[in-house]
Amino acid sequence: MASEVVLLDFWPSPFGMRARLALAEKGVTYEYKEEDLSNKSELLLQMNPVHKKIPVLVHNNKPVSESLNVVEYIDEVWNNNNLLLPSDPYQRAQARFWADYVDTKLFESANRLWKTKGAEQEEAKKDFIERLKVMEEQLGDNPYFGGDTFGFVDVAFFPFYPWFYAFEIAGNFKVEELCPNIIEWAKRCLLRDSVKTLPDQNQVYEFYLKLKKMLGID
Ligand code: GS8
């Protein structure tokens, strides 16, 4: 039986982009199903009854949720090319650590940055920039977070790059002036066919403006 792969997703979601990126890196053919998050499909509610969130990868009718978990699953199932996680256990643990840092620190502060105002927003901006600098240091002079090859941390982190312009406008700063190596890294990633399938900063910015309006944030 040919394996059936379906992705429940929402196009501007950085978490969904991780799954798309991993599938593209592996050359997996799949059916993309766009979700309306204000009116979730029965399928999404059935496939992710706990969190009711995208992305969900449905492989032969079996759901896998949580984006980093989805990326690891893809890496393990389609394991004959471009391994994303290193095979060395220590390196693998380090990769998981930095992917978790992206979610619990970087994304956490980015989310506060555009949702708050005044002193709260200043605090969020300070945190975001500080944490981005930690990532800049972690990258060092390497071409990728995976070292010489595009890997798990690159897949975890790159999907926030299309959001950078929105974050810059929200916080009135330029990532390039603060973390030039991260911008160089992002440009390097943008040369990959897998990365080219993701939305760009202008598309995400348009969406961000609509989202802010919808949430009543000005
Ligand atoms: C986050 C997914 C998520 O927030 C992961 O997959 O890594 N930790 C999870 N998904 C959002 C869309 S992107 O902001 C979502 O599905 N939200 C719907 C809801 O909260 O009702």
Side-chain angles (χ1 to χ4, degrees):
M1 188 188 78
S3 88
E4 192 197 46
V5 184
V6 178
L7 181 67
L8 311 184
D9 203 344
F10 177 53
W11 72 269
S13 165
F15 304 105
M17 285 187 226
R18 286 174 172 167
R20 272 170 267 162
L21 196 44
L23 289 165
E25 279 290 322
K26 300 286 181 169
V28 179
T29 307
Y30 64 98
E31 185 185 350
Y32 179 91
K33 287 197 175 170
E34 181 78 356
E35 278 291 326
D36 172 356
L37 295 179
S38 61
N39 181 23
K40 295 173 186 169
S41 71
E42 269 310 308
L43 186 62
L44 175 60
L45 300 177
Q46 247 175 43
M47 292 293 154
N48 190 358
V50 176
H51 296 305
K52 305 177 178 65
K53 290 185 178 190
I54 60 88
V56 183
L57 183 84
V58 189
H59 185 201
N60 293 331
N61 296 320
K62 290 189 298 199
V64 183
S65 299
E66 286 297 308
S67 59
L68 293 176
N69 193 36
V70 169
V71 173
E72 282 208 40
Y73 178 80
I74 292 168
D75 201 30
E76 286 181 18
V77 173
W78 290 276
N79 61 0
N80 51 356
N81 64 347
N82 293 5
L83 275 190
L84 297 170
L85 273 161
S87 50
D88 174 70
Y90 181 74
Q91 294 303 329
R92 205 156 59 228
Q94 289 303 100
R96 290 192 182 110
F97 173 89
W98 286 108
D100 178 71
Y101 184 87
V102 169
D103 280 5
T104 55
K105 294 292 181 185
L106 204 62
F107 173 68
E108 185 278 328
S109 52
N111 217 12
R112 278 188 282 127
L113 175 65
W114 71 269
K115 285 186 175 159
T116 57
K117 291 221 157 301
E120 251 186 302
Q121 191 180 41
E122 278 310 307
E123 179 77 15
K125 175 177 166 178
K126 189 174 128 284
D127 288 346
F128 181 71
I129 291 173
E130 233 171 66
R131 294 166 186 187
L132 207 54
K133 286 186 175 166
V134 171
M135 291 304 287
E136 171 100 346
E137 205 173 302
Q138 175 59 19
L139 178 63
D141 293 329
N142 296 314
Y144 299 107
F145 285 90
D148 286 335
T149 53
F150 184 85
F152 188 65
V153 181
D154 301 286
V155 172
F157 184 26
F158 183 86
F160 291 94
Y161 178 73
W163 280 85
F164 273 17
Y165 183 59
F167 299 153
E168 288 177 334
I169 297 288
N172 191 25
F173 61 88
K174 283 294 240 184
V175 175
E176 189 153 26
E177 287 164 11
L178 304 161
C179 299
N181 290 351
I182 286 188
I183 299 297
E184 284 305 310
W185 159 80
K187 286 183 183 159
R188 199 170 297 124
C189 293
L190 279 165
L191 300 173
R192 301 180 78 78
D193 288 342
S194 61
V195 175
K196 285 182 192 153
T197 62
L198 302 182
D200 66 25
Q201 293 194 346
N202 292 329
Q203 292 167 309
V204 170
Y205 184 65
E206 288 294 309
F207 167 76
Y208 162 78
L209 292 178
K210 280 190 206 144
L211 181 66
K212 272 187 24 163
K213 209 177 233 170
M214 216 173 74
L215 298 176
I217 301 170
D218 51 29

